[in-house]
Amino acid sequence: EGDFLYGRGVEDNQQAIVSMLLLAEEVLAQGIKPELSLGLVFMADEETGSFFGLDHLLNTAPHFFNADDLYIVPDAGSSKGDVIEVAEKSQLWLRVQTIGIQCHGSTPQKGRNAFLAGADMALSCHNALRAAFADANPLFDPPYSTFVPGKHEANVPNINTVPGNDVFYMDCRLLPHVDAGNVLARIREVASEVEKRHNVQIVVSVVQQQ
């Protein structure tokens, strides 16, 4: 409608695809020969590791890219179109499983409450990781690394059951200089402390790391 495009996904990321194609089309229509060659690359899988997208292209068609190329990646934009992002945080997704002993809610002393220990783990990670990796960089918003407990799997269907198994996930976004291995090491230290407090077992596994 006029100069505006309305529709689902036009912000992230259909507007990027359309704007790239319109730019290439206009360059051809105007007979413009730019100082630099213009190439367009379309890839899938950006939100889930890029294994079937960029990673696949780099492994199967490395001739598409050169070391001295300049890259622009159209992504979710701003209303004025005046924001240029120069870097992104690293991504680390974790699965945290707490294994206790299931029992009846009326006799909690006979079990080991995996949900309670898992909640302790989530809060302890939140506090310990923010303290250990507190560096800031004003290029980013927010300017620090983040460690966010998110998805939580269902444990038991009954209110009167103490769960013996509990699983939650963490979304960690790390400043570029923060080593994911160091983050994992600190999380496993926290897990060891929580295990001792609640007499449970905690298994931390990587779902995705970029």
Side-chain angles (χ1 to χ4, degrees):
E1 181 180 325
D3 292 332
F4 291 92
L5 177 63
Y6 298 92
R8 294 183 63 186
V10 296
E11 168 67 11
D12 189 3
N13 242 24
Q14 308 308 335
Q15 51 85 17
I17 296 173
V18 172
S19 62
M20 289 168 64
L21 290 171
L22 289 175
L23 170 64
E25 183 181 54
E26 190 65 17
V27 167
L28 289 173
Q30 297 293 331
I32 298 171
K33 187 175 181 180
E35 294 183 19
L36 300 176
S37 299
L38 175 65
L40 305 181
V41 183
F42 298 90
M43 296 165 289
D45 197 30
E46 175 243 343
E47 294 285 355
T48 53
S50 295
F51 301 112
F52 303 105
L54 179 59
D55 193 59
H56 175 74
L57 276 180
L58 290 173
N59 289 323
T60 59
H63 57 280
F64 285 173
F65 310 97
N66 294 303
D68 59 351
D69 284 346
L70 301 175
Y71 299 95
I72 297 176
V73 183
D75 203 345
S78 61
S79 59
K80 296 181 180 179
D82 57 358
V83 174
I84 299 177
E85 183 182 88
V86 297
E88 287 196 358
K89 295 176 181 176
S90 302
Q91 181 176 316
L92 178 64
W93 286 355
L94 301 174
R95 180 180 188 269
V96 182
Q97 180 183 16
T98 303
I99 303 167
I101 296 176
Q102 183 171 306
C103 68
H104 196 276
S106 64
T107 55
Q109 76 281 5
K110 294 182 178 180
R112 295 173 193 162
N113 193 325
F115 182 23
L116 182 63
D120 188 358
M121 177 66 178
L123 186 58
S124 296
C125 281
H126 175 76
N127 294 332
L129 294 173
R130 288 185 64 181
F133 305 97
D135 293 352
N137 185 329
L139 281 177
F140 297 92
D141 182 22
Y144 44 81
S145 299
T146 56
F147 310 92
V148 180
K151 178 180 176 181
H152 185 269
E153 292 185 3
N155 44 42
V156 292
N158 307 316
I159 294 175
N160 63 345
T161 301
V162 173
N165 188 75
D166 193 74
V167 177
F168 74 90
Y169 296 79
M170 285 184 62
D171 183 333
C172 308
R173 305 295 171 120
L174 312 177
L175 294 178
H177 74 279
V178 175
D179 190 310
N182 293 337
V183 173
L184 274 169
R186 185 68 186 101
I187 288 174
R188 291 194 165 113
E189 288 175 358
V190 173
S192 179
E193 297 165 2
V194 175
E195 284 177 329
K196 292 174 183 175
R197 283 201 293 270
H198 296 270
N199 196 19
V200 297
Q201 179 186 358
I202 297 177
V203 180
V204 179
S205 53
V206 176
V207 177
Q208 183 171 294
Q209 180 178 343
Q210 285 185 274

